[in-house]
Amino acid sequence: MAGFEGIKWADFQSRYLLQGKSFAMVPMADKVPAVSRSIHYGLCLAFEGIRYFVGPTEDGGLHIQFLNLHKNLQRFRRSISFNLGAAQQAMVPSEEELEAMILHYLRSPELSEFIHDMGKSGGQGYLRPFTVDESQSIGVTFPENPSIRMVTCTYDRYMGEPFSGVVVPHLVRAVAANGTGNLKLGVNYLLSVKAVDEARSILPEASSALFLDDRLDLPLRDRRVTEWDSSCCLIALASGAVVKIPESPLILPSVTIQGICAILHEAGVGVEERDMTYGELIARAEAGEIAAIASIGTAGILNRAQRLVMVDENNAPCAEMRAQTEHPVYQALGRARQTYWEIYQDKAPVPKGMVLQSYLI
C-alpha cells in the first residue's frame, strides 16, 4: 500500500475534548488508554487529511495556505457525526470551530520551529486531525469522552510514479447501505490493506488495488468501477476525455479530485462525470483506448499507473492496461498535478470554483 517517504513529524500534537471544548498541546508521545473503545472496537475513529504550504509574506513574515479547506472540514464533520450517537450530535464542532482549532495548533509556540523550518524548505505540509475516545472504557457503545487529536508532518513523496495496480473484485471496500464509503473512517482501511495484499498475490510489484462496487449479485462485468484502495480514480481515454467516477455512498468526495478536474477544464481537457462498468474498462483496455488511469488523493495529489491488471471471475488475469506515456492527455494529467501544488505556492492562478485560504502565522 502507498506510503509516505521522507517524512518528518512535529514534536507536539493537540488534544481537543468535545465535552467542555478544552484545547491543549501535548507531546507527540501522549497516550490514549489501552482500554478504550477506539482501540478495541474501532469506535470514534474518524480522520481527515489536509495538505498545506508554509511560505513567506511580502513583509517578511510567514503564512499558511490551504486549498478548499472548507471541503475538508465539511467532510470531517460528517465523519465525526457518524461516530457519535443521536444524543451526542451537539458535540460535533462547526466548520468555524474546526478552522480555529487548526490555526490554534499550527500557530502554537510548540510548533514554531517546525513551521519556520517548513517556511525555509518549501516542503509539503500534511495535517492529520483524528478522533479518539479518551476514556478508559470497554463495551460496544458510543464513546464516553470523544476528542479530536491533531498531528502534522512534512514529507517528500507519497506513492509516486510509476506504480502498478490490480483490480480486486471479490473484496468490497464499503457497503452503500451503511453510508461509510463516502467518509474517512478507520473501518474502511483494513479492507484497503487486505486488497493491496491480494493484489500483490497476482502482481508482486502492485502497490494499489482498484475496487468495484458492492453489487455482488450482478455479473462481474456489469459492476461499476469505484476507487483505489486509498484514493479516488480518474480514467483518461485515448480520445482525450477524462472520466471522473461520480460521487456516491461508495466514493469518498475527494477534495483534490475536484481541484484537478477544475485545472483540467481550464486547460481544455474535457471531463466526463459518469459511471464506468468493469466490462467497459476491460473492453477499452483491450482496444488500447485508455491512455492513463490515475490515483488522486491529498498526499500524492495525482499519480499515473504504468500498469493495471484486470481479473476474471476466477481471479485470473484477463486483461491489462499499459499507460500511453506519450499521449497528450497523459501529459496533461502530469501538468495538472504540478499546477495543483503551484497554486498553494502562489505560482499559478486559482481556477474557478476553488478557494485558496491564507492565514498569517
Side-chain angles (χ1 to χ4, degrees), residues 5 56 78 92-93 100 113 125 145 189 194 244 290-291 316 319:
E5 298 177 22
R78 291 194 299 271
V92 179
E113 182 178 353
N145 189 20
Y189 283 79
K194 295 287 286 185
K244 175 185 180 294
I290 297 177

Side-chain angles (χ1 to χ4, degrees), residues 273-337:
E273 185 161 343
R274 66 174 179 85
D275 287 315
M276 180 176 288
T277 66
Y278 189 36
E280 180 185 351
L281 182 71
I282 291 173
R284 286 187 179 276
E286 291 176 330
E289 296 177 359
I290 297 177
I293 296 179
S295 163
I296 316 292
T298 300
I301 300 181
L302 184 152
N303 289 291
R304 295 160 292 185
Q306 64 171 349
R307 183 183 183 190
L308 178 69
V309 173
M310 287 150 269
V311 300
D312 61 18
E313 291 82 355
N314 298 313
N315 212 34
C318 67
E320 186 173 300
M321 185 282 310
R322 294 274 185 169
Q324 300 176 25
T325 57
E326 301 302 317
H327 195 286
V329 73
Y330 182 95
Q331 301 296 327
L333 290 173
R335 290 192 296 272
R337 174 181 57 202

Side-chain angles (χ1 to χ4, degrees), residues 213-220 222-223:
D213 63 27
D214 59 345
R215 301 181 302 164
L216 298 175
D217 57 313
L218 294 182
L220 180 59
D222 291 344
R223 291 170 61 196

Side-chain angles (χ1 to χ4, degrees), residues 135-146:
S135 288
Q136 184 172 333
S137 60
I138 198 165
V140 189
T141 62
F142 288 111
E144 291 178 3
N145 189 20

Side-chain angles (χ1 to χ4, degrees), residues 13-17 22-26 30-31 134 147-150:
Q13 61 175 305
S14 66
R15 182 185 63 216
Y16 180 85
L17 301 179
S22 63
F23 181 97
M25 294 292 292
V26 296
D30 189 65
K31 295 178 174 60
E134 302 280 349
S147 75
I148 295 173
R149 298 257 184 159
M150 208 173 300

Side-chain angles (χ1 to χ4, degrees), residues 82-96:
F82 186 89
N83 279 273
L84 299 177
Q88 297 176 306
Q89 292 301 307
M91 288 194 290
V92 179
S94 66
E95 285 185 46
E96 293 74 18

Side-chain angles (χ1 to χ4, degrees), residues 48-353:
E48 190 53 58
I50 303 173
R51 172 183 283 265
Y52 66 92
F53 172 74
V54 179
T57 59
E58 292 183 356
D59 61 2
L62 289 175
H63 62 183
I64 294 180
Q65 303 212 125
F66 301 92
L67 199 55
N68 289 338
L69 176 62
H70 62 290
K71 292 186 178 294
N72 286 108
L73 301 184
Q74 290 167 2
R75 191 170 66 181
F76 192 34
R77 291 189 76 243
R78 291 194 299 271
S79 298
I80 295 172
S81 176
F82 186 89
N83 279 273
L84 299 177
Q88 297 176 306
Q89 292 301 307
M91 288 194 290
V92 179
S94 66
E95 285 185 46
E96 293 74 18
E97 288 174 306
L98 289 172
E99 179 185 44
M101 200 183 306
I102 290 170
L103 295 177
H104 193 167
Y105 174 56
L106 295 177
R107 287 171 172 165
S108 67
E110 291 87 347
L111 257 61
S112 178
E113 182 178 353
F114 178 85
I115 294 296
H116 279 79
D117 285 347
M118 282 192 64
K120 294 176 185 176
S121 69
Q124 302 175 93
Y126 189 78
L127 181 69
R128 169 52 58 81
F130 62 98
T131 59
V132 68
D133 185 5
E134 302 280 349
S135 288
Q136 184 172 333
S137 60
I138 198 165
V140 189
T141 62
F142 288 111
E144 291 178 3
N145 189 20
S147 75
I148 295 173
R149 298 257 184 159
M150 208 173 300
V151 295
T152 191
C153 67
T154 184
Y155 65 102
D156 295 332
R157 194 173 81 145
Y158 180 85
M159 192 176 196
E161 298 176 357
F163 80 94
S164 297
V166 176
V167 177
V168 179
H170 60 280
L171 288 178
V172 174
R173 176 181 172 272
V175 178
N178 289 344
T180 60
N182 59 359
L183 302 173
K184 286 184 80 72
L185 305 174
V187 70
N188 293 336
Y189 283 79
L190 173 59
L191 266 300
S192 293
V193 174
K194 295 287 286 185
V196 174
D197 195 50
E198 178 67 28
R200 286 177 177 156
S201 71
I202 296 168
L203 183 67
E205 65 266 32
S207 59
S208 270
L210 186 61
F211 283 107
L212 303 183
D213 63 27
D214 59 345
R215 301 181 302 164
L216 298 175
D217 57 313
L218 294 182
L220 180 59
R221 294 191 179 215
D222 291 344
R223 291 170 61 196
R224 296 186 294 255
V225 175
T226 58
E227 59 183 18
W228 295 99
D229 53 275
S230 59
S231 58
C232 288
C233 179
L234 282 179
I235 302 168
L237 304 180
S239 65
V242 172
V243 177
K244 175 185 180 294
I245 307 301
E247 293 179 5
S248 75
L250 296 176
I251 304 289
L252 188 70
S254 168
V255 176
T256 305
I257 206 169
Q258 294 166 12
I260 290 291
C261 288
I263 292 168
L264 290 172
H265 176 75
E266 293 204 351
V269 178
V271 178
E272 304 172 7
E273 185 161 343
R274 66 174 179 85
D275 287 315
M276 180 176 288
T277 66
Y278 189 36
E280 180 185 351
L281 182 71
I282 291 173
R284 286 187 179 276
E286 291 176 330
E289 296 177 359
I290 297 177
I293 296 179
S295 163
I296 316 292
T298 300
I301 300 181
L302 184 152
N303 289 291
R304 295 160 292 185
Q306 64 171 349
R307 183 183 183 190
L308 178 69
V309 173
M310 287 150 269
V311 300
D312 61 18
E313 291 82 355
N314 298 313
N315 212 34
C318 67
E320 186 173 300
M321 185 282 310
R322 294 274 185 169
Q324 300 176 25
T325 57
E326 301 302 317
H327 195 286
V329 73
Y330 182 95
Q331 301 296 327
L333 290 173
R335 290 192 296 272
R337 174 181 57 202
Q338 182 64 27
T339 300
Y340 190 86
W341 180 230
E342 288 177 350
I343 292 170
Y344 283 84
Q345 303 167 296
D346 292 319
K347 296 178 180 179
V350 182
K352 183 179 180 181

